Amino acid sequence: MHIDSARRDQLQEWEKELSAQYQRICQHELNLDITRGKPSADQLHLSDKLDGILNGDYRAADGTDTRNYGGIDGLACARNLGADILQVPSEEVMAGGNSSLTMMYHAVLTGYLFGFAGNTPWREMQAPKFLCPVPGYDRHFSICEQLGIGMVNVPMTEHGPDMDVAEALVRDDQEIIGIWCVPKFSNPTGVTYSKETVDRLACLAQIANPGFRIFWDNAYAIHDLEHQVNLPSIRSATLENDTADSVLQFASTSKVTHAGAGVAFVSASAANLASLKKQMQAMTIGPDKVNQLRHSRFFAEFTMLKAHMQKHAQILKPKFECVLNQLNQAFGDSDLGEWEEPRGGYFVSFSTRPGCAAAVVKLAADAGVKLTPAGATFPYGKDPEDRNIRIAPSFPPLEELDTAMSVFVLCVKLASVRKQLESL
Ligand SMILES: Cc1ncc(COP(=O)(O)O)c(C=O)c1O
């Protein structure tokens, strides 16, 4: 289908055919959901041996009795695990509780209330703002929105955030105090940042407010589907440019073991870790070291973690293939949409023709297929062009995903034809 070159009568004919197909699908009373990027039950089963793994032996290798209070940095063996995932030295890692998102929230709060490494707290500024590569992760944007921190969109390219735009914004506005980054298999575009992007990000601190911080959310650091994709090291890039204090890195085992019941990590320079710890010490006596020990025993070697991730990939790969096959078949030769073919992570990002995303989501919902709300991947839930839809293939069984994608494809066609007819 090529909508731009179609005549009105052709569009009217398509609309009639597609509407009839859509009516037939609505009669099936489907109830399918491809909204959130949750692991499937099959993936969760891969880690069920965590339960009981300690078998009464609660002592870590360094002698720590994990049942007792203390150790705000986390267990040494858990910090090693975080260091392996983030590819940084373990001295620069704190192992925490069950959620990296919570850690990010606390880190933003630290910058906001107290400032990092002796810099001005962001709350003392007139209009502190974060750069938000879009489309991006809705929960990052919710943190800023809740704290009243402004958000400025930066378009994502196939190499990461558009750095010309990011640099110009930072140069012009000294109240830009952060940027959200999902550098590997970005949520939702699946893009991995290029070396040039990472290098330019590492240099942002040279022109930004000294309190500026990069929030490097490496949630999909080890979530490759087939061949390993290498993310250039932001740590090395900042060390080379004397900007090591400008970055805070995050990761967790949420999509490695049991989602929401894993271990989260933050890695940063000594000065930043000291700022984080100062705030955390008032908040907690220490993390759940028992769970940290479970994870450290489960992944006694990094090779075990790698092998475990390959099992995830085996489950996820057919689901990504299903989504991409449907998109290629339906839209490969069309002007109805654009998408990336991610090599890992949890999402496929689809861009409709301008002004169609909300209509597609509504049509799909009425046909019994729940999609992530249009706009959710943008700050304040506002996609200026109403184009982006995030598809999350991981959770439903393959057959359900396939049906949901058939409905999705039909809804994209129908919404696009109707929109074009309206505009003629
Ligand atoms: C980019 C990104 N960061 C963080 C999270 C949540 O991580 P956690 O479970 O460690 O809080 C997700 C979950 O979807 C995510 O996509």
Side-chain angles (χ1 to χ4, degrees):
M1 272 175 115
H2 286 270
I3 285 208
D4 281 330
S5 52
R7 292 188 318 271
R8 175 186 276 278
D9 58 332
Q10 171 77 81
L11 289 164
Q12 282 167 334
E13 201 178 308
W14 281 339
E15 202 280 335
K16 219 167 121 195
E17 277 169 28
L18 292 165
S19 289
Q21 278 180 42
Y22 179 74
Q23 290 312 325
R24 282 198 294 278
I25 277 184
C26 285
Q27 283 161 14
H28 292 165
E29 296 188 2
L30 297 171
N31 184 13
L32 305 173
D33 188 335
I34 45 172
T35 53
R36 289 229 80 92
K38 295 198 283 193
S40 63
D42 287 354
Q43 290 177 266
L44 297 172
H45 284 320
L46 297 174
S47 305
D48 288 349
K49 291 212 164 72
L50 273 171
D51 192 17
I53 197 169
L54 298 185
N55 202 19
D57 176 8
Y58 292 95
R59 290 224 179 246
D62 63 2
T64 307
D65 184 344
T66 58
R67 294 168 302 181
N68 223 328
Y69 271 139
I72 195 130
D73 292 324
L75 279 183
C77 51
R79 293 170 74 194
N80 290 340
L81 179 62
D84 281 341
I85 294 173
L86 286 168
Q87 297 286 293
V88 294
S90 51
E91 312 82 75
E92 294 178 14
V93 177
M94 285 172 79
N98 70 320
S99 159
S100 60
L101 190 69
T102 308
M103 277 184 156
M104 287 179 244
Y105 190 102
H106 284 145
V108 175
L109 211 52
T110 299
Y112 186 77
L113 291 176
F114 309 113
F116 277 104
N119 288 297
T120 310
W122 302 335
R123 74 187 148 93
E124 290 177 17
M125 296 172 181
Q126 249 177 351
K129 309 168 198 78
F130 263 58
L131 297 182
C132 298
V134 288
Y137 180 38
D138 52 350
R139 292 182 193 270
H140 288 160
F141 306 151
S142 303
I143 295 176
C144 284
E145 193 169 354
Q146 191 170 69
L147 295 174
I149 295 172
M151 290 180 271
V152 185
N153 293 358
V154 175
M156 276 292 280
T157 72
E158 60 188 300
H159 308 292
D162 185 327
M163 290 309 297
D164 289 341
V165 174
E167 285 160 358
L169 286 164
V170 166
R171 205 173 280 117
D172 275 6
D173 185 347
Q174 286 297 298
E175 296 205 329
I176 290 175
I177 38 72
I179 180 168
W180 289 112
C181 294
V182 183
K184 187 166 171 185
F185 307 135
S186 195
N187 178 349
T189 60
V191 159
T192 297
Y193 293 11
S194 67
K195 172 93 174 85
E196 188 194 334
T197 303
V198 173
D199 287 342
R200 288 173 74 176
L201 280 163
C203 292
L204 278 182
Q206 294 166 347
I207 50 172
N209 183 304
F212 174 86
R213 292 294 179 269
I214 299 169
F215 282 68
W216 195 253
D217 177 2
N218 208 346
Y220 302 106
I222 48 173
H223 299 62
D224 309 72
L225 278 177
E226 198 158 17
H227 305 295
Q228 191 179 321
V229 174
N230 284 323
L231 170 69
S233 163
I234 187 79
R235 179 178 181 273
S236 306
T238 54
L239 284 173
E240 275 161 27
N241 290 288
D242 210 10
T243 55
D245 280 346
S246 72
V247 64
L248 299 152
Q249 302 193 54
F250 302 88
S252 81
T253 65
S254 273
K255 285 168 185 167
V256 176
T257 57
H258 291 164
V263 180
F265 309 98
V266 59
S267 170
S269 67
N272 285 333
L273 287 182
S275 300
L276 287 174
K277 239 190 287 188
K278 199 167 163 202
Q279 187 227 347
M280 279 168 67
Q281 266 158 350
M283 200 172 64
T284 177
I285 305 170
D288 176 353
K289 296 189 297 301
V290 176
N291 197 34
Q292 292 187 353
L293 186 60
R294 274 190 212 110
H295 279 77
S296 304
R297 293 243 175 101
F298 196 58
F299 299 123
E301 306 280 341
F302 192 43
T303 48
M304 292 162 82
L305 179 58
K306 292 279 220 183
H308 183 83
M309 293 315 291
Q310 277 173 10
K311 292 185 199 156
H312 277 285
Q314 275 162 18
I315 298 172
L316 284 170
K317 221 174 135 241
K319 297 188 176 183
F320 274 81
E321 280 167 2
C322 165
V323 171
L324 294 171
N325 284 342
Q326 288 250 17
L327 294 179
N328 277 315
Q329 268 171 29
F331 306 125
D333 181 23
S334 86
D335 55 3
L336 268 66
E338 291 159 19
W339 63 97
E340 304 280 344
E341 303 218 343
R343 293 167 62 193
Y346 262 65
F347 303 102
V348 177
S349 171
F350 185 84
S351 295
T352 64
R353 292 169 65 85
C356 290
V360 171
V361 172
K362 166 96 175 59
L363 281 168
D366 293 347
V369 174
K370 219 167 145 198
L371 296 171
T372 308
T377 52
F378 284 73
Y380 313 106
K382 285 189 194 132
D383 175 353
E385 290 190 287
D386 186 23
R387 292 192 67 193
N388 188 253
I389 298 175
R390 186 182 78 168
I391 300 168
S394 58
F395 189 69
L398 195 52
E399 246 171 66
E400 285 186 16
L401 178 65
D402 200 41
T403 310
M405 282 307 297
S406 312
V407 176
F408 174 77
V409 157
L410 176 63
C411 294
V412 171
K413 290 181 183 169
L414 186 54
S416 309
V417 170
R418 285 183 178 167
K419 178 87 189 166
Q420 185 72 351
L421 275 169
E422 269 168 38
S423 69
L424 289 181

